[in-house]
Amino acid sequence: MDPFSLTTLLAAAALAGWVDAVVGGGGLLLLPALLVAAPGLPVATALGTNKLAAIAGTSTAAVTFARRTKLDWAVAGPSAGLAVCCAGLGAALAGAVPASAYRPVVLVVLVAVALFVVLRPRLGVVALPQRRTRVRVVAVVALAGVGIALYDGLIGPGTGTFLVVAFTALVGADFVQGSAMAKVVNAGTNLGALVVFAATGHVWWLLGAAMAVCNIAGAVLGARMALRRGAGFVRVVLLVVVFALVAKLGYDQWAAG
């Protein structure tokens, strides 16, 4: 890899770490950058190498959030535990599911998420603990630890965003609390997928380690900024990321024709 491509990729890793720490969706930046900077790299290896960088960033962001805000471990803990197994399953199935099968579904879900957040301007701005019932806790643990984790193993981009919206909408977390819990679960999904990709030889370890260092730097900055600026800032970033994801997947669907 030439120096320019490597520098660009490391910069993308840092920016992806920042986006992931604030609201998720860093894979939208890092995966395409990796595929462009290393043409000919198998998609599975790109996914595995991305997971190596991402787990470093999400774990760092999770620790940063845990030190500065109160985490709901009764929700985040079981979700993360399930996520390790389910993301691993998704990674094992990644090669068997063509992009054309899931892209339209994810696109519709993202549009629904964007509309949901736009039409409910108070969502996630303040915590609503009265929403945290036993049924809702079980529902969000199943959604985050099974459904979203499986998706992360299969493809990944947008996972953190889905997690944040799930925690705010279902159990009444504000966006900062939701983002904090999302980092814990996302660390679990990254771990489960990474184990599978590593076992099948689909991780470029040296490049992934370099990207991980930059991803950590971006994650620390993003987590501190989210904590300092609060839920309103996270909401704006979330909407920007969702619209970017919609645009990217919409273009891919149109190009696939």
Side-chain angles (χ1 to χ4, degrees), residues 69-157:
T69 191
K70 186 177 180 181
L71 279 171
D72 189 344
W73 286 106
V75 172
S79 298
L82 283 170
V84 174
C85 299
C86 292
L89 176 60
L93 297 173
V97 182
S100 58
Y102 58 72
R103 191 186 294 126
V105 176
V106 176
L107 188 56
V108 170
V109 172
L110 281 168
V111 170
V113 166
L115 289 173
F116 185 71
V117 175
V118 168
L119 295 175
R120 301 188 65 177
R122 300 304 298 168
L123 176 73
V125 175
V126 294
L128 299 172
Q130 65 271 23
R131 288 188 180 176
R132 193 188 180 286
T133 64
R134 181 174 296 180
V135 172
R136 284 175 175 264
V137 167
V138 171
V140 81
V141 167
L143 177 61
V146 179
I148 298 176
L150 188 64
Y151 164 78
D152 191 32
L154 282 168
I155 174 170

Side-chain angles (χ1 to χ4, degrees), residues 146-238:
V146 179
I148 298 176
L150 188 64
Y151 164 78
D152 191 32
L154 282 168
I155 174 170
T159 295
T161 306
F162 292 142
L163 288 169
V164 173
V165 172
F167 291 135
T168 53
L170 288 179
V171 290
D174 66 32
F175 276 129
V176 173
Q177 294 168 338
S179 189
M181 289 191 287
K183 298 297 128 345
V184 175
V185 179
N186 213 173
T189 65
N190 286 331
L191 175 61
L194 178 60
V195 168
V196 173
F197 285 125
T200 53
H202 287 298
V203 179
W204 188 349
W205 292 101
L206 187 59
L207 178 61
M211 289 164 53
V213 173
C214 297
N215 202 260
I216 287 171
V220 170
L221 181 62
R224 290 179 177 176
M225 191 174 292
L227 287 163
R228 184 171 66 251
R229 297 198 175 185
F233 169 73
V234 177
R235 181 179 187 274
V236 171
V237 176
L238 183 145

Side-chain angles (χ1 to χ4, degrees), residues 100 103 107 247-257:
S100 58
R103 191 186 294 126
L107 188 56
K248 171 68 168 56
L249 288 173
Y251 174 80
D252 289 346
Q253 183 68 18
W254 174 79

